[in-house]
Amino acid sequence: MLEKLRTRDGKKFIAAAVILFLIALTVISRVTFQGVVDQYNLPMEKWTHTMFIMQGAWVLIYTIVFTFITSLPFAFYFLGPKDDRG
């Protein structure tokens, strides 16, 4: 598998996965942190360090899961078997 990641298509897949990770991280962190502020009417200035750590951990977990799920089609496209017909 590592040999496939070192090819040109493998590097394209890694680039697509990194872009998906950054998009998911941006969207999920914004929704999560803003959701806590809106839902509980608690501005971030009043948050404890533990709240930041806990929300950050959830953001990381959700980002990894969404990146994995959304990168599957790219893995099949870039790393799957090539058709010799065209």
Side-chain angles (χ1 to χ4, degrees):
M1 185 63 184
L2 290 176
E3 297 85 27
K4 283 188 176 185
L5 291 177
R6 291 188 179 125
T7 64
R8 183 175 181 177
D9 285 339
K11 291 178 183 179
K12 288 179 183 179
F13 168 71
I14 291 172
V18 167
I19 291 169
L20 288 171
F21 181 83
L22 293 174
I23 291 170
L25 181 67
T26 303
V27 171
I28 293 171
S29 63
R30 182 171 182 120
V31 167
T32 301
F33 285 104
Q34 191 62 40
V36 172
V37 170
D38 292 343
Q39 183 72 27
Y40 299 106
N41 198 18
L42 184 65
M44 285 191 185
E45 295 84 27
K46 294 183 180 180
W47 285 26
T48 63
H49 291 291
T50 308
M51 290 175 71
F52 278 108
I53 292 170
M54 197 61 145
Q55 290 301 319
W58 282 114
V59 166
L60 183 63
I61 290 168
Y62 286 136
T63 301
I64 290 170
V65 170
F66 281 118
T67 302
F68 178 74
I69 292 170
T70 57
S71 68
L72 285 175
F74 291 104
F76 286 119
Y77 181 75
F78 288 121
L79 304 176
K82 302 297 180 214
D83 189 12
D84 293 337
R85 290 183 283 168

